[in-house]
Amino acid sequence: MKTAFINSMCHEIRTPLNAIVGFSGIITANAEILTSLIDHLLVVANLDSSDAPLLCEQTR
């Protein structure tokens, strides 16, 4: 009976924990993407407000 209780408790704890770990991975990945997007927006905003000329390269 003790073994059944421990197995049941392990299952009851592991299932929600797996969901938390999965969602935290998604949140981490999305936070990195969002940080990158904001960094790029700041670069564009700095270029827009700068008086420095932009160097253009000809593409083929």
Side-chain angles (χ1 to χ4, degrees):
M1 195 162 182
K2 181 172 89 175
T3 303
F5 174 76
I6 291 172
N7 286 338
S8 176
M9 288 305 298
C10 286
H11 174 73
E12 294 298 324
I13 292 171
R14 184 168 292 193
T15 301
L17 185 59
N18 284 337
I20 291 168
V21 169
F23 280 120
S24 67
I26 292 170
I27 289 170
T28 300
N30 286 338
E32 290 173 3
I33 293 168
L34 184 57
T35 301
S36 176
L37 177 63
I38 290 172
D39 288 343
H40 289 115
L41 286 172
L42 290 173
V43 168
V44 170
N46 285 336
L47 288 173
D48 186 45
S49 65
S50 174
D51 291 334
L54 296 177
L55 302 175
C56 297
E57 296 180 8
Q58 184 176 3
T59 59
R60 296 181 187 192

